[in-house]
């Protein structure tokens, strides 16, 4: 299977399946002399880890990451730093239970990728979904932790802003709240009711979708390239590559279609720091595929988990009509654990474009021009 690599100068290749012995990735292109230990990566993996609340899958994976290559203890500083060579990361799978999945061996789950893998490859690893499983996304989160260290002063944060019909009240947005509830929800009032809502769904054997917002601050202006290298294009591709993502928006996104030009275009003034001050951010920090220096704002829609207990009509691999009801361990709302994954993908794209900018243009932006011609 090809296409397991993303990024240009910050390049990540992942490997592994849900029920294989381990999952891993190789991060290539990371600059040398960046301090890096497992402790820099583990906290991000811990946020994505399954089995942490009753609202996510009960699969118990410690997701302890090992750095296999690409680091060395620098004699001068005494710190372990990157060497500029490929960084290989490995996570052992410890809680695979193949018997949970025997019911889906021959039948196709509506909404899942069972049919398309079979029709394309003629076989599939049905144990936990094999490579279709979001187990692979742990490696994206690990790579994202390295990406965050490449861009000075970069902060990437994500939050769940909608679950099913329940949207947050943006007036109550509190970033500190995101880590206080098991839903990564920034609105305490909405977070307080999501538990009962999910319990009800689970009792019915159902699942639900969600919308995640990722905000990247400290992104220098000038990252990205016109046309085929648009920063927003790469962000959309990276976020859409996450399992179960069916929609991506940047800035005002689809709502921009309802706006008039004078409402949408972000007006500019000069700030005290000598940089332009944008009076709004409908552009989501990107114009012409190039970052403005404003926060980058991306949202993505995650569909409801396809593996549900409610019986559904389907067919099997031998062309027979049948029914399926999926037992086993599944996230009732995969959007919850998609939050740290979305953050990681944004961090990887920004780091990649940061290195590309350095490669093509070099130093800081050439703006403002010295003097206006008379
Ligand atoms: C964090 C996370 C966990 C997921 N867990 C499950 C799961 O337990 N059961 C399931 O049916 N799908 C789960 N998915 C979604 C499937 O992996 C995904 O729907 C499937 O690979 C088909 O791909 P597509 O939805 O992108 O078309 C999960 C997705 C994410 C992001």
């Amino acid at each position: 299977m090809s296409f397991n690599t993303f990024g240009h100068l910050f390049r990540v290749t992942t490997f592994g399946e849900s029920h294989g012995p381990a999952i891993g990735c190789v991060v290539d292109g990371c600059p040398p002399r960046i301090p890096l230990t497992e402790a820099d990566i583990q906290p991000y993996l811990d946020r994505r880890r399954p089995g942490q609340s009753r609202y996510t899958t009960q699969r118990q994976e410690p997701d302890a990451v090992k750095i296999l290559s690409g680091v060395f203890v620098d004699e001068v500083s005494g710190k372990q730093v990157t060497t500029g060579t490929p960084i290989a990361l490995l996570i052992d799978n410890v809680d695979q239970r193949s018997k949970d999945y025997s019911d889906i061996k021959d039948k196709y789950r509506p909404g899942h990728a069972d049919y398309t893998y079979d029709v394309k490859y003629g076989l599939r690893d049905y144990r936990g979904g094999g490579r279709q499983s979001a187990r692979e996304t742990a490696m994206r989160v690990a790579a994202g932790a390295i990406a965050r260290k490449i861009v000075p002063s970069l902060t990437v944060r994500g939050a769940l802003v909608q679950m099913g019909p329940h949207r947050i009240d943006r007036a109550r947005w509190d970033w500190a709240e995101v880590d206080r509830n098991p839903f990564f929800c920034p609105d305490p009032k909405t977070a307080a009711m999501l538990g009962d809502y999910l319990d009800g769904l689970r009792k019915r054997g159902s699942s639900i979708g969600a919308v995640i917002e990722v905000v990247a601050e400290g992104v220098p202006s000038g990252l990205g390239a016109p046309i085929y290298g648009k920063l927003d294009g790469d962000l959309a591709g990276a976020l859409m590559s996450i399992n179960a993502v069916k929609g991506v928006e940047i800035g005002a996104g689809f709502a921009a279609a309802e706006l008039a030009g004078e409402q949408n275009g972000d007006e500019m003034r000069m700030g005290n720091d000598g940089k332009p001050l944008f009076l709004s951010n409908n552009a989501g920090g990107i114009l012409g595929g190039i970052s403005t220096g404003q926060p980058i704002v991306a949202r993505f829609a995650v569909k409801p988990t396809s593996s549900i207990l409610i019986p559904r009509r389907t067919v099997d691999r031998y062309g027979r009509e049948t029914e399926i009801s999926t037992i086993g361990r599944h996230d009732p709302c995969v959007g919850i654990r998609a939050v740290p994954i979305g953050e990681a993908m944004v961090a990887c794209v920004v780091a990649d474009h940061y290195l590309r900018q350095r490669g093509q243009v070099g130093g800081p932006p050439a703006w403002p021009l010295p003097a206006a011609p008379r």
Side-chain angles (χ1 to χ4, degrees):
M1 233 186 277
S2 53
F3 299 105
N4 295 294
T5 301
F6 67 94
H8 292 260
L9 293 189
F10 183 80
R11 210 165 166 74
V12 180
T13 303
T14 71
F15 61 87
E17 290 81 29
S18 170
H19 282 45
I23 50 174
C25 71
V26 175
V27 177
D28 204 359
C30 181
R33 298 187 304 280
I34 295 177
L36 183 70
T37 66
E38 277 114 358
D40 294 315
I41 304 172
Q42 197 60 49
Y44 295 102
L45 287 166
D46 290 346
R47 292 179 80 225
R48 194 215 71 102
R49 201 152 58 80
Q52 297 196 81
S53 80
R54 68 176 199 276
Y55 307 111
T56 59
T57 171
Q58 292 307 300
R59 179 168 173 169
Q60 294 297 330
E61 291 287 352
D63 280 355
V65 68
K66 279 181 278 195
I67 303 178
L68 303 186
S69 67
V71 291
F72 189 67
V73 178
D74 175 40
E75 279 173 25
V76 179
S77 66
K79 283 186 179 164
Q80 179 167 290
V81 296
T82 57
T83 57
T85 59
I87 302 169
L89 305 174
L90 199 77
I91 293 175
D92 288 329
N93 286 329
V94 300
D95 189 18
Q96 318 93 312
R97 281 192 233 158
S98 292
K99 65 179 185 312
D100 280 350
Y101 297 97
S102 47
D103 57 326
I104 58 160
K105 182 172 165 293
D106 295 330
K107 298 179 184 178
Y108 299 134
R109 287 167 291 177
H112 219 293
D114 306 330
Y115 167 67
T116 49
Y117 269 52
D118 247 0
V119 84
K120 182 177 176 71
Y121 300 109
L123 87 170
R124 76 194 150 91
D125 179 351
Y126 52 79
R127 303 163 308 154
R131 185 81 176 152
Q132 318 158 19
S133 161
R135 187 88 197 101
E136 179 268 350
T137 60
M139 299 327 302
R140 304 166 183 236
V141 172
I146 299 174
R148 287 172 196 260
K149 304 196 90 188
I150 290 176
V151 187
S153 68
L154 172 70
T155 309
V156 184
R157 296 183 288 187
L160 181 144
V161 296
Q162 186 178 341
M163 186 187 289
H166 303 292
R167 287 168 200 254
I168 62 153
D169 179 344
R170 299 183 82 88
R172 288 195 294 257
W173 188 301
D174 175 4
W175 278 114
E177 188 59 32
V178 167
D179 288 323
R180 285 194 210 117
N181 64 72
F183 312 108
F184 299 110
C185 180
D187 169 4
K189 213 165 160 191
T190 305
M193 46 87 56
L194 290 181
D196 285 347
Y197 174 65
L198 273 181
D199 283 339
L201 278 167
R202 207 194 352 230
K203 274 183 202 136
R204 287 201 292 120
S206 185
S207 63
I208 197 70
V211 178
I212 317 305
E213 183 163 316
V214 181
V215 181
E217 287 161 294
V219 179
S221 53
L223 305 199
I227 319 295
Y228 302 116
K230 285 174 79 179
L231 184 57
D232 35 3
D234 281 359
L235 284 169
L239 292 172
M240 190 62 95
S241 78
I242 300 172
N243 316 45
V245 172
K246 294 305 266 187
V248 179
E249 295 186 323
I250 308 289
F254 275 74
E258 291 173 29
L259 299 178
E262 69 275 19
Q263 296 171 306
N264 179 64
D266 303 309
E267 290 189 299
M268 298 169 81
R269 281 279 166 257
M270 280 308 296
N272 294 333
D273 57 359
K275 292 179 182 168
L277 183 71
F278 291 89
L279 305 184
S280 53
N281 192 11
N282 289 317
I286 303 171
L287 290 170
I290 299 171
S291 61
T292 62
Q294 284 190 287
I296 288 179
V297 182
R299 270 178 304 280
F300 58 97
V302 180
K303 73 189 192 187
T305 324
S306 308
S307 309
I308 54 172
L309 268 173
I310 294 176
R312 317 279 339 269
R313 286 171 294 177
T314 189
V315 300
D316 69 12
R317 29 192 346 227
Y318 307 104
R320 297 174 300 207
E321 291 184 352
T322 179
E323 278 204 354
I324 186 165
S325 155
T326 316
I327 51 163
R329 302 166 297 175
H330 301 282
D331 289 282
C333 174
V334 297
I336 300 172
R337 291 200 299 130
V339 175
I341 305 166
E343 289 177 359
M345 293 310 284
V346 169
C348 287
V349 171
V350 171
D352 187 33
H353 276 277
Y354 177 79
L355 296 177
R356 285 155 73 173
Q357 164 76 352
R358 226 165 58 169
Q360 189 193 16
V361 180
W367 193 93
L369 300 178
R374 287 171 192 268

Short mmCIF file of all heavy atoms in Angstrom, two decimals, residues 48 57 101 109-114 116-117 128-129 131-135 137 240-246 300 302-308 326 329-339 341, ligand 1:
data_model
loop_
_atom_site.label_atom_id
_atom_site.label_comp_id
_atom_site.label_asym_id
_atom_site.label_seq_id
_atom_site.Cartn_x
_atom_site.Cartn_y
_atom_site.Cartn_z
N ARG A 48 -4.37 11.74 23.62
CA ARG A 48 -5.12 11.01 22.60
C ARG A 48 -5.44 9.57 23.02
O ARG A 48 -6.30 8.91 22.44
CB ARG A 48 -4.28 10.97 21.30
CG ARG A 48 -5.03 10.55 20.05
CD ARG A 48 -4.14 9.74 19.11
NE ARG A 48 -3.89 8.45 19.65
CZ ARG A 48 -4.48 7.32 19.27
NH1 ARG A 48 -5.32 7.32 18.28
NH2 ARG A 48 -4.21 6.18 19.85
N THR A 57 -13.18 4.64 23.65
CA THR A 57 -13.04 3.19 23.62
C THR A 57 -12.30 2.68 24.86
O THR A 57 -11.38 3.34 25.36
CB THR A 57 -12.29 2.72 22.34
OG1 THR A 57 -12.01 1.33 22.47
CG2 THR A 57 -10.98 3.44 22.14
N TYR A 101 -13.62 -8.80 17.07
CA TYR A 101 -13.90 -8.34 15.72
C TYR A 101 -14.30 -9.46 14.76
O TYR A 101 -14.48 -9.21 13.58
CB TYR A 101 -12.67 -7.60 15.18
CG TYR A 101 -12.36 -6.38 16.00
CD1 TYR A 101 -11.40 -6.40 17.00
CD2 TYR A 101 -13.08 -5.22 15.81
CE1 TYR A 101 -11.16 -5.30 17.78
CE2 TYR A 101 -12.85 -4.09 16.57
CZ TYR A 101 -11.88 -4.14 17.56
OH TYR A 101 -11.65 -3.04 18.32
N ARG A 109 -19.24 -3.12 7.46
CA ARG A 109 -19.92 -2.15 8.31
C ARG A 109 -20.35 -0.94 7.48
O ARG A 109 -19.47 -0.29 6.89
CB ARG A 109 -18.99 -1.68 9.44
CG ARG A 109 -18.78 -2.70 10.51
CD ARG A 109 -17.62 -2.32 11.40
NE ARG A 109 -16.35 -2.40 10.68
CZ ARG A 109 -15.17 -2.08 11.19
NH1 ARG A 109 -15.11 -1.62 12.42
NH2 ARG A 109 -14.08 -2.19 10.48
N PRO A 110 -21.64 -0.60 7.44
CA PRO A 110 -22.03 0.61 6.72
C PRO A 110 -21.29 1.82 7.31
O PRO A 110 -21.24 1.98 8.52
CB PRO A 110 -23.54 0.71 6.97
CG PRO A 110 -23.96 -0.70 7.23
CD PRO A 110 -22.81 -1.33 7.97
N GLY A 111 -20.71 2.62 6.44
CA GLY A 111 -19.99 3.82 6.89
C GLY A 111 -18.51 3.57 7.11
O GLY A 111 -17.74 4.51 7.21
N HIS A 112 -18.11 2.30 7.19
CA HIS A 112 -16.69 2.01 7.41
C HIS A 112 -16.01 1.70 6.07
O HIS A 112 -16.66 1.72 5.03
CB HIS A 112 -16.52 0.85 8.40
CG HIS A 112 -15.37 1.07 9.34
ND1 HIS A 112 -14.07 1.07 8.91
CD2 HIS A 112 -15.33 1.30 10.68
CE1 HIS A 112 -13.27 1.30 9.94
NE2 HIS A 112 -14.00 1.45 11.03
N ALA A 113 -14.71 1.40 6.13
CA ALA A 113 -13.95 1.22 4.89
C ALA A 113 -13.78 -0.26 4.53
O ALA A 113 -12.94 -0.59 3.69
CB ALA A 113 -12.58 1.89 5.03
N ASP A 114 -14.58 -1.15 5.17
CA ASP A 114 -14.40 -2.59 4.93
C ASP A 114 -14.59 -2.93 3.45
O ASP A 114 -13.78 -3.64 2.85
CB ASP A 114 -15.41 -3.39 5.76
CG ASP A 114 -15.34 -3.04 7.24
OD1 ASP A 114 -14.25 -2.67 7.70
OD2 ASP A 114 -16.38 -3.11 7.92
N THR A 116 -14.53 -0.91 0.77
CA THR A 116 -13.60 -0.28 -0.19
C THR A 116 -12.20 -0.91 -0.13
O THR A 116 -11.53 -1.03 -1.15
CB THR A 116 -13.52 1.25 0.01
OG1 THR A 116 -13.32 1.52 1.40
CG2 THR A 116 -14.78 1.94 -0.47
N TYR A 117 -11.76 -1.33 1.05
CA TYR A 117 -10.46 -2.01 1.12
C TYR A 117 -10.53 -3.34 0.36
O TYR A 117 -9.63 -3.70 -0.38
CB TYR A 117 -10.06 -2.27 2.59
CG TYR A 117 -9.23 -1.16 3.23
CD1 TYR A 117 -9.66 0.17 3.20
CD2 TYR A 117 -8.05 -1.44 3.89
CE1 TYR A 117 -8.92 1.18 3.80
CE2 TYR A 117 -7.30 -0.43 4.50
CZ TYR A 117 -7.74 0.88 4.45
OH TYR A 117 -7.01 1.87 5.05
N GLY A 128 -9.58 -5.37 14.19
CA GLY A 128 -9.60 -3.98 14.65
C GLY A 128 -9.56 -2.98 13.50
O GLY A 128 -9.29 -1.80 13.71
N GLY A 129 -9.84 -3.47 12.29
CA GLY A 129 -9.85 -2.54 11.15
C GLY A 129 -8.48 -2.41 10.50
O GLY A 129 -8.32 -1.69 9.52
N ARG A 131 -5.26 -1.29 9.02
CA ARG A 131 -4.71 0.03 8.73
C ARG A 131 -5.80 1.12 8.69
O ARG A 131 -5.51 2.30 8.77
CB ARG A 131 -3.95 -0.05 7.41
CG ARG A 131 -3.20 1.19 6.99
CD ARG A 131 -1.85 1.35 7.66
NE ARG A 131 -1.15 2.52 7.15
CZ ARG A 131 -0.26 3.22 7.82
NH1 ARG A 131 0.08 2.90 9.04
NH2 ARG A 131 0.32 4.25 7.27
N GLN A 132 -7.08 0.70 8.53
CA GLN A 132 -8.18 1.69 8.55
C GLN A 132 -8.38 2.25 9.95
O GLN A 132 -9.04 3.25 10.14
CB GLN A 132 -9.54 1.08 8.20
CG GLN A 132 -9.64 0.11 7.10
CD GLN A 132 -10.89 -0.75 7.26
OE1 GLN A 132 -11.84 -0.44 7.97
NE2 GLN A 132 -10.89 -1.88 6.59
N SER A 133 -7.87 1.51 10.93
CA SER A 133 -8.09 1.90 12.33
C SER A 133 -7.38 3.20 12.65
O SER A 133 -6.28 3.47 12.13
CB SER A 133 -7.56 0.81 13.23
OG SER A 133 -7.36 1.30 14.53
N ALA A 134 -8.00 4.00 13.51
CA ALA A 134 -7.37 5.26 13.92
C ALA A 134 -6.22 5.03 14.89
O ALA A 134 -5.64 5.98 15.41
CB ALA A 134 -8.41 6.18 14.55
N ARG A 135 -5.85 3.79 15.11
CA ARG A 135 -4.66 3.49 15.92
C ARG A 135 -3.43 4.19 15.30
O ARG A 135 -2.56 4.68 16.00
CB ARG A 135 -4.48 1.98 15.92
CG ARG A 135 -3.43 1.43 16.80
CD ARG A 135 -3.93 1.14 18.22
NE ARG A 135 -2.77 1.00 19.10
CZ ARG A 135 -2.33 1.93 19.92
NH1 ARG A 135 -2.97 3.07 20.07
NH2 ARG A 135 -1.25 1.75 20.64
N THR A 137 -3.22 6.98 14.05
CA THR A 137 -3.13 8.42 14.32
C THR A 137 -2.28 8.73 15.54
O THR A 137 -1.88 9.89 15.73
CB THR A 137 -4.54 9.04 14.50
OG1 THR A 137 -5.19 8.40 15.60
CG2 THR A 137 -5.37 8.90 13.24
N MET A 240 -8.20 16.40 6.38
CA MET A 240 -9.09 15.43 5.72
C MET A 240 -8.50 14.03 5.75
O MET A 240 -9.23 13.04 5.65
CB MET A 240 -9.34 15.90 4.28
CG MET A 240 -10.42 15.14 3.55
SD MET A 240 -12.05 15.30 4.31
CE MET A 240 -12.76 16.64 3.38
N SER A 241 -7.18 13.92 5.93
CA SER A 241 -6.56 12.59 5.97
C SER A 241 -6.81 11.87 7.29
O SER A 241 -6.50 10.69 7.43
CB SER A 241 -5.05 12.70 5.72
OG SER A 241 -4.38 13.13 6.89
N ILE A 242 -7.36 12.59 8.27
CA ILE A 242 -7.68 11.94 9.55
C ILE A 242 -8.92 11.07 9.36
O ILE A 242 -9.89 11.49 8.71
CB ILE A 242 -7.94 13.00 10.65
CG1 ILE A 242 -6.71 13.88 10.86
CG2 ILE A 242 -8.36 12.34 11.96
CD1 ILE A 242 -6.95 15.08 11.78
N ASN A 243 -8.90 9.89 9.92
CA ASN A 243 -10.04 8.97 9.80
C ASN A 243 -11.34 9.66 10.23
O ASN A 243 -11.36 10.36 11.23
CB ASN A 243 -9.88 7.77 10.73
CG ASN A 243 -8.49 7.20 10.70
OD1 ASN A 243 -7.52 7.94 10.74
ND2 ASN A 243 -8.38 5.90 10.62
N ALA A 244 -12.38 9.45 9.47
CA ALA A 244 -13.74 9.90 9.79
C ALA A 244 -13.98 11.38 9.54
O ALA A 244 -15.08 11.88 9.81
CB ALA A 244 -14.13 9.54 11.22
N VAL A 245 -12.98 12.12 9.02
CA VAL A 245 -13.19 13.54 8.74
C VAL A 245 -13.89 13.69 7.39
O VAL A 245 -13.45 13.12 6.39
CB VAL A 245 -11.86 14.32 8.77
CG1 VAL A 245 -12.05 15.75 8.28
CG2 VAL A 245 -11.29 14.31 10.18
N LYS A 246 -14.98 14.42 7.36
CA LYS A 246 -15.75 14.59 6.12
C LYS A 246 -15.86 16.04 5.67
O LYS A 246 -16.47 16.32 4.64
CB LYS A 246 -17.16 13.99 6.28
CG LYS A 246 -17.15 12.47 6.45
CD LYS A 246 -16.42 11.73 5.33
CE LYS A 246 -17.33 11.28 4.22
NZ LYS A 246 -16.57 10.41 3.26
N PHE A 300 -12.85 21.11 11.47
CA PHE A 300 -13.16 19.91 10.68
C PHE A 300 -14.31 19.14 11.30
O PHE A 300 -14.49 19.12 12.51
CB PHE A 300 -11.94 19.03 10.46
CG PHE A 300 -11.24 18.54 11.71
CD1 PHE A 300 -11.51 17.27 12.21
CD2 PHE A 300 -10.29 19.31 12.36
CE1 PHE A 300 -10.85 16.79 13.34
CE2 PHE A 300 -9.64 18.84 13.48
CZ PHE A 300 -9.91 17.58 13.97
N VAL A 302 -16.28 15.64 11.92
CA VAL A 302 -16.00 14.21 12.08
C VAL A 302 -17.33 13.47 12.08
O VAL A 302 -18.25 13.84 12.80
CB VAL A 302 -15.25 13.96 13.41
CG1 VAL A 302 -14.94 12.48 13.59
CG2 VAL A 302 -13.97 14.77 13.46
N LYS A 303 -17.41 12.43 11.28
CA LYS A 303 -18.67 11.70 11.18
C LYS A 303 -18.86 10.80 12.42
O LYS A 303 -17.90 10.55 13.16
CB LYS A 303 -18.70 10.88 9.90
CG LYS A 303 -17.81 9.66 9.89
CD LYS A 303 -17.76 9.06 8.49
CE LYS A 303 -17.13 7.69 8.46
NZ LYS A 303 -16.94 7.18 7.09
N PRO A 304 -20.08 10.31 12.65
CA PRO A 304 -20.29 9.40 13.78
C PRO A 304 -19.59 8.06 13.55
O PRO A 304 -19.42 7.63 12.41
CB PRO A 304 -21.81 9.22 13.84
CG PRO A 304 -22.33 9.70 12.54
CD PRO A 304 -21.33 10.62 11.93
N THR A 305 -19.19 7.43 14.63
CA THR A 305 -18.55 6.11 14.58
C THR A 305 -19.44 5.14 13.80
O THR A 305 -20.64 5.03 14.07
CB THR A 305 -18.37 5.55 16.01
OG1 THR A 305 -18.05 6.63 16.87
CG2 THR A 305 -17.33 4.46 16.05
N SER A 306 -18.84 4.42 12.87
CA SER A 306 -19.64 3.49 12.05
C SER A 306 -19.92 2.17 12.77
O SER A 306 -20.93 1.52 12.50
CB SER A 306 -18.89 3.19 10.75
OG SER A 306 -18.52 4.39 10.12
N SER A 307 -19.02 1.75 13.67
CA SER A 307 -19.20 0.47 14.38
C SER A 307 -20.18 0.68 15.53
O SER A 307 -19.80 1.17 16.59
CB SER A 307 -17.87 -0.01 14.95
OG SER A 307 -16.90 -0.01 13.95
N ILE A 308 -21.44 0.35 15.28
CA ILE A 308 -22.47 0.57 16.31
C ILE A 308 -23.25 -0.71 16.55
O ILE A 308 -23.28 -1.61 15.70
CB ILE A 308 -23.42 1.74 15.93
CG1 ILE A 308 -24.02 1.52 14.54
CG2 ILE A 308 -22.71 3.07 16.02
CD1 ILE A 308 -25.09 2.53 14.17
N THR A 326 -22.35 -4.23 15.41
CA THR A 326 -20.93 -4.34 15.79
C THR A 326 -20.76 -4.28 17.30
O THR A 326 -21.01 -3.23 17.91
CB THR A 326 -20.09 -3.21 15.13
OG1 THR A 326 -20.50 -3.10 13.77
CG2 THR A 326 -18.62 -3.53 15.20
N ARG A 329 -15.10 -2.79 21.26
CA ARG A 329 -14.77 -1.52 21.93
C ARG A 329 -14.64 -0.41 20.89
O ARG A 329 -13.78 -0.47 20.03
CB ARG A 329 -13.47 -1.70 22.70
CG ARG A 329 -13.57 -2.82 23.72
CD ARG A 329 -12.22 -3.23 24.24
NE ARG A 329 -11.38 -3.79 23.20
CZ ARG A 329 -10.12 -4.13 23.39
NH1 ARG A 329 -9.56 -3.95 24.56
NH2 ARG A 329 -9.40 -4.64 22.41
N HIS A 330 -15.50 0.56 20.99
CA HIS A 330 -15.48 1.65 20.03
C HIS A 330 -15.75 2.98 20.72
O HIS A 330 -16.42 3.04 21.74
CB HIS A 330 -16.54 1.43 18.94
CG HIS A 330 -16.34 0.15 18.19
ND1 HIS A 330 -15.38 0.01 17.22
CD2 HIS A 330 -16.93 -1.06 18.33
CE1 HIS A 330 -15.40 -1.23 16.77
NE2 HIS A 330 -16.33 -1.90 17.43
N ASP A 331 -15.23 4.05 20.14
CA ASP A 331 -15.52 5.38 20.64
C ASP A 331 -16.95 5.74 20.23
O ASP A 331 -17.25 5.71 19.04
CB ASP A 331 -14.57 6.40 19.99
CG ASP A 331 -13.14 6.27 20.50
OD1 ASP A 331 -12.88 6.75 21.61
OD2 ASP A 331 -12.29 5.70 19.78
N PRO A 332 -17.82 6.15 21.18
CA PRO A 332 -19.16 6.56 20.76
C PRO A 332 -19.15 7.87 19.97
O PRO A 332 -20.04 8.14 19.18
CB PRO A 332 -19.94 6.72 22.07
CG PRO A 332 -18.92 6.81 23.15
CD PRO A 332 -17.67 6.16 22.65
N CYS A 333 -18.10 8.68 20.20
CA CYS A 333 -17.92 9.91 19.40
C CYS A 333 -16.44 10.03 19.10
O CYS A 333 -15.66 10.46 19.96
CB CYS A 333 -18.42 11.13 20.16
SG CYS A 333 -18.08 12.67 19.29
N VAL A 334 -16.03 9.64 17.90
CA VAL A 334 -14.59 9.64 17.59
C VAL A 334 -14.06 11.07 17.52
O VAL A 334 -12.85 11.29 17.55
CB VAL A 334 -14.26 8.87 16.30
CG1 VAL A 334 -14.62 7.41 16.44
CG2 VAL A 334 -14.92 9.48 15.09
N GLY A 335 -14.97 12.04 17.45
CA GLY A 335 -14.56 13.45 17.42
C GLY A 335 -13.80 13.86 18.66
O GLY A 335 -12.97 14.78 18.61
N ILE A 336 -14.03 13.18 19.79
CA ILE A 336 -13.36 13.59 21.03
C ILE A 336 -11.85 13.40 20.87
O ILE A 336 -11.07 14.34 21.02
CB ILE A 336 -13.89 12.78 22.24
CG1 ILE A 336 -15.39 13.00 22.41
CG2 ILE A 336 -13.13 13.16 23.51
CD1 ILE A 336 -16.03 12.08 23.47
N ARG A 337 -11.45 12.18 20.53
CA ARG A 337 -10.01 11.92 20.43
C ARG A 337 -9.40 12.51 19.16
O ARG A 337 -8.18 12.51 18.98
CB ARG A 337 -9.74 10.42 20.54
CG ARG A 337 -10.03 9.90 21.97
CD ARG A 337 -9.35 8.59 22.27
NE ARG A 337 -9.78 7.56 21.38
CZ ARG A 337 -8.96 6.75 20.71
NH1 ARG A 337 -7.66 6.86 20.85
NH2 ARG A 337 -9.44 5.83 19.92
N ALA A 338 -10.27 13.02 18.29
CA ALA A 338 -9.74 13.67 17.07
C ALA A 338 -9.13 15.03 17.40
O ALA A 338 -8.38 15.58 16.58
CB ALA A 338 -10.84 13.83 16.04
N VAL A 339 -9.40 15.57 18.58
CA VAL A 339 -8.88 16.91 18.91
C VAL A 339 -7.35 16.93 18.91
O VAL A 339 -6.74 17.71 18.16
CB VAL A 339 -9.48 17.42 20.25
CG1 VAL A 339 -8.84 18.75 20.65
CG2 VAL A 339 -11.00 17.56 20.14
N ILE A 341 -5.39 14.89 17.55
CA ILE A 341 -4.91 14.47 16.22
C ILE A 341 -4.94 15.67 15.27
O ILE A 341 -4.00 15.91 14.51
CB ILE A 341 -5.77 13.31 15.67
CG1 ILE A 341 -5.82 12.15 16.66
CG2 ILE A 341 -5.25 12.84 14.32
CD1 ILE A 341 -6.90 11.12 16.37
C1 LIG B 1 -9.75 8.80 17.18
C2 LIG B 1 -10.58 7.98 16.26
C3 LIG B 1 -11.08 6.76 16.70
C4 LIG B 1 -11.87 5.98 15.87
N1 LIG B 1 -12.41 4.83 16.36
C5 LIG B 1 -13.32 4.16 15.62
C6 LIG B 1 -14.02 3.06 16.16
O1 LIG B 1 -13.82 2.68 17.33
N2 LIG B 1 -14.93 2.42 15.37
C7 LIG B 1 -15.19 2.83 14.09
O2 LIG B 1 -16.03 2.25 13.42
N3 LIG B 1 -14.53 3.87 13.54
C8 LIG B 1 -13.61 4.54 14.29
N4 LIG B 1 -12.96 5.62 13.73
C9 LIG B 1 -13.23 6.00 12.33
C10 LIG B 1 -12.67 5.02 11.32
O3 LIG B 1 -11.29 4.81 11.50
C11 LIG B 1 -12.96 5.55 9.91
O4 LIG B 1 -14.30 5.90 9.79
C12 LIG B 1 -12.66 4.49 8.84
O5 LIG B 1 -11.28 4.28 8.76
C13 LIG B 1 -13.17 4.87 7.46
O6 LIG B 1 -12.54 6.01 7.00
P1 LIG B 1 -13.33 7.36 6.67
O7 LIG B 1 -14.35 7.52 7.74
O8 LIG B 1 -12.29 8.43 6.73
O9 LIG B 1 -13.97 7.21 5.33
C14 LIG B 1 -12.15 6.41 14.55
C15 LIG B 1 -11.62 7.63 14.10
C16 LIG B 1 -10.85 8.42 14.94
C17 LIG B 1 -10.33 9.73 14.45
#
